[in-house]
Amino acid sequence: MTAEFRLRRTDHPTPQQQREEILADPGFGRHFTDHMVTVTWTPDVGWHDHQVTALAPFTLHPGAAVLHYAQEILEGLKAFRRADGSIWLFRPGLNARRFVASADRLVLPELDEETFVESVAALVRADEAWVPPYGGEQSLYLRPFMFASEAFLGVRPAQQVTYCVIACPAGSYFPNGVTGVTLWISTKYSRASIGGTGAAKCGGNYAASLAPQREALGHGCEQVLYLGGEQRRDIDESGTMNVFFVTRDQQLVTPSLGTILDGVTRDSVLALAAEHGLDPVQRSIGMDEIRDGLADGTVTEAFAAGTAAVITPIIGFKSEEFAAEVGDGTPGKYTRQFRTHLLDIQYGRAEDTHGWMHRVL
Ligand SMILES: *Cc1c(COP(=O)(O)O)cnc(C)c1O
């Protein structure tokens, strides 16, 4: 049964003028809305105290297990305002299901799908004024997360867990037009290993990504591309986005699930492939295959997919072993088509033939 969230509005909402100034240039992750969702779990009562309250700091015991052993998971999704003012979520059920799978991997309690979606919807309703206006690719970014809040230093699953949802207005990811990134293929670091936490969306994976990201920046690249597989010679993903390749013979190729994150955007791109005349293929992809394919022109486009940027064109790769441009070094045709198609579905400009959109207000 879906839990009800009790709303207690803040006594100190951000003044309208200040909010409008923020919404004029929200950036990403810098400004937070007025409310948050919290729910507490203990083994004897289960989930309880479902609330939407004023955004406020947590009081956390220094012994809280999350601070020591990183028993924590997260999600990320967006609310979009349409031209008619209505507000919609994109496939929130997939985030809910992935949250259950991540919780299982980190031995956190299961929050049922309906309650997850309702928690996000409840926060959007409370902070409706924070959903940016239509036009300009802005959205309200929602961050559900769950962590071990029990004060206990033994290593075992926590007996007190906090679930929370916060929200940030998000500006257009490419305010000056869609540009591409060059990926650093790290042979020094890996993101995930077989049997590890690669498929879980957990904070620990992000902590481990900071050193490889520093390495990438040091080589003049914007992001990392990780390798995986038994020999660490196969394409994995970029750490915040899944990767795709378009081939000359009209295939859309992406690594199979396993150690990579099962992205909502990835799943959506695969589902739309046929409408763009591409044959979707999920399989292991060797780094050497990509290097050769870029050199002989069989690989024509590359892009990354994730909620924050939707589709990011990849215009080059660099590693200790080689450097290569993708195509002519500008975003490819299919890359731009997928980006436009997804945004058009999200903002209600294209028909939602797959039933992906979920109306909140
Ligand atoms: C969240 C995430 C993605 C993208 O998933 P979406 O559901 O499309 O946003 C890709 N890789 C990693 C490691 C992630 O955490």
Side-chain angles (χ1 to χ4, degrees), residues 187-199:
T187 43
K188 178 172 177 187
Y189 297 106
S190 55
R191 194 190 78 89
S193 56
I194 295 159
T197 57

Side-chain angles (χ1 to χ4, degrees), residues 62-295:
V66 65
L67 300 177
H68 304 273
Y69 309 128
Q71 193 190 4
E72 187 264 357
I73 57 170
L74 66 149
E75 270 303 327
L77 67 165
K78 287 173 170 175
F80 304 90
R81 192 187 293 279
R82 293 192 174 175
D84 66 0
S86 61
I87 300 174
W88 301 69
L89 301 170
F90 181 68
R91 308 187 78 184
L94 287 193
N95 297 93
R97 256 185 271 162
R98 189 168 67 191
F99 202 57
V100 170
S102 297
D104 184 60
R105 181 62 181 81
L106 276 287
V107 199
L108 284 160
E110 175 176 330
L111 184 74
D112 69 85
E113 269 179 57
E114 292 74 22
T115 302
F116 176 97
V117 175
E118 176 53 23
S119 72
V120 171
L123 184 61
V124 173
R125 289 194 295 265
D127 281 330
E128 197 252 312
W130 285 93
V131 182
Y134 174 78
E137 283 182 27
Q138 296 179 314
S139 60
L140 185 69
Y141 182 81
L142 295 142
R143 168 53 59 81
F145 60 107
M146 187 195 290
F147 62 93
S149 46
E150 183 191 10
F152 181 65
L153 292 186
V155 180
R156 60 141 170 76
Q159 307 264 305
Q160 185 189 307
V161 170
T162 302
Y163 170 72
C164 181
V165 190
I166 54 176
C168 297
S172 169
Y173 204 87
F174 298 102
N176 305 314
V178 180
T179 50
V181 295
T182 300
L183 300 187
W184 172 253
I185 305 179
S186 183
T187 43
K188 178 172 177 187
Y189 297 106
S190 55
R191 194 190 78 89
S193 56
I194 295 159
T197 57
K201 206 169 175 76
C202 60
N205 288 343
Y206 282 82
S209 76
L210 298 174
Q213 181 64 21
R214 180 178 59 193
E215 188 195 19
L217 293 173
H219 286 92
C221 296
E222 287 85 3
Q223 308 247 343
V224 189
L225 178 65
Y226 294 97
L227 298 175
E230 305 270 359
Q231 310 296 324
R232 284 195 48 218
R233 298 290 294 178
D234 294 337
I235 306 290
D236 187 87
E237 63 154 288
S238 86
T240 58
M241 291 181 282
N242 299 112
V243 294
F244 286 85
F245 300 92
V246 179
T247 64
R248 194 166 51 198
D249 60 355
Q250 240 86 50
Q251 289 196 345
L252 178 70
V253 191
T254 195
S256 310
L257 296 177
T259 58
I260 62 168
L261 209 278
D262 184 0
V264 174
T265 319
R266 174 185 180 278
D267 187 85
S268 308
V269 168
L270 288 170
L272 295 178
E275 292 170 46
H276 294 267
L278 295 175
D279 179 22
V281 180
Q282 303 178 59
R283 61 169 172 84
S284 57
I285 306 166
M287 176 178 63
D288 298 338
E289 179 189 340
I290 294 305
R291 181 197 356 210
D292 296 347
L294 290 169

